Amino acid sequence: MTQKDITFVADFLTEHFNEAPELYNRKGKYFNVERVGQYLKDEDDDLVSPPNTEGNQWFNFLKDSTHLKESPLLFPYYPEKSLHFVKRQMEGIIDQCLQKPADVIGKSVHQAVCMSLYKISQSEDSTPQLFKLPFLWNDKTSNLHYVLFTMLENSISKVHILRRHTDTSRSVSNGIVAVEFGNFLNNSINESSDSRCYSCLDAHFYDDETVTVVLKESVQQEGKERVLAQLPLS
């Protein structure tokens, strides 16, 4: 350590750990704690060295304002408490504010339809991940809600499109369809059906009428071809 470091530490101890006779009646509080660290203690005790708010423009403004002084919209200030205490108080108030909307929204949600996508053996220890790439899209013009997803294993070359009306009392034709890519990019009908088979890496709606998909060649070889395709919903 340099002499400058030693002087710095000595000055710190002198400033913050002087004896404080007024604190002798407090258990374990015989010295002033470091003034920043006291705000970070996770306890409900009052601060040993509370801040001096004299001359604070915000407090003076509130004190002189008859309308804001008792306003319920202002979060109360606790000058004697640590930030952990204030954080817990604020979290409690926020939870209280959100509880009523959560109850109302929760009671308004109900199951509109149930579709069985796949079945697995009950004896399996761990359920395999068969559902992939769920992407949501809302067509506000037609009041339709779409879900894009793929199923792994046997249907790797298909992308599924689920369509529901936003008005749950109404139904739409072809509620769910599957688009199979397979070998549709073959240059000629003479090519082998297995030579250019594609699977879906990702799928998103581009707009209300178009779906963008990223395809890859399923053949196990180096330099697999990637294709970016735009598919019209029609």
Side-chain angles (χ1 to χ4, degrees), residues 183 186 190-198 217-219 221:
N183 59 349
N186 288 355
N190 296 325
E191 288 190 29
S192 168
S193 60
D194 296 329
S195 62
R196 299 284 294 276
C197 190
Y198 290 86
E217 241 181 323
S218 300
V219 180
Q221 62 183 20

Side-chain angles (χ1 to χ4, degrees), residues 8 61 116 159 168 203 215 223 225:
F8 177 79
F61 171 70
S116 178
V159 60
T168 55
L215 306 173
E225 185 177 1

Side-chain angles (χ1 to χ4, degrees), residues 194-210:
D194 296 329
S195 62
R196 299 284 294 276
C197 190
Y198 290 86
S199 59
C200 183
L201 280 177
D202 200 359
H204 282 233
F205 267 80
Y206 181 76
D207 55 28
D208 290 341
E209 304 295 334
T210 311

Side-chain angles (χ1 to χ4, degrees), residues 58-75:
W58 174 249
F59 291 120
N60 293 339
F61 171 70
L62 291 182
K63 193 185 302 180
D64 298 336
S65 173
T66 55
H67 299 289
L68 290 177
K69 190 184 301 182
E70 303 297 333
S71 173
L73 299 178
L74 290 177
F75 191 80

Side-chain angles (χ1 to χ4, degrees), residues 112 137-147 162-173 175 205 208-209 233:
W137 180 266
N138 183 246
D139 183 352
K140 295 181 175 61
T141 305
S142 305
N143 295 324
L144 294 173
H145 194 69
Y146 291 90
V147 182
L162 171 65
R163 182 174 66 177
R164 294 291 302 173
H165 205 284
T166 53
D167 182 357
T168 55
S169 63
R170 299 178 58 183
S171 61
V172 292
S173 59
F205 267 80
D208 290 341
E209 304 295 334
L233 274 181

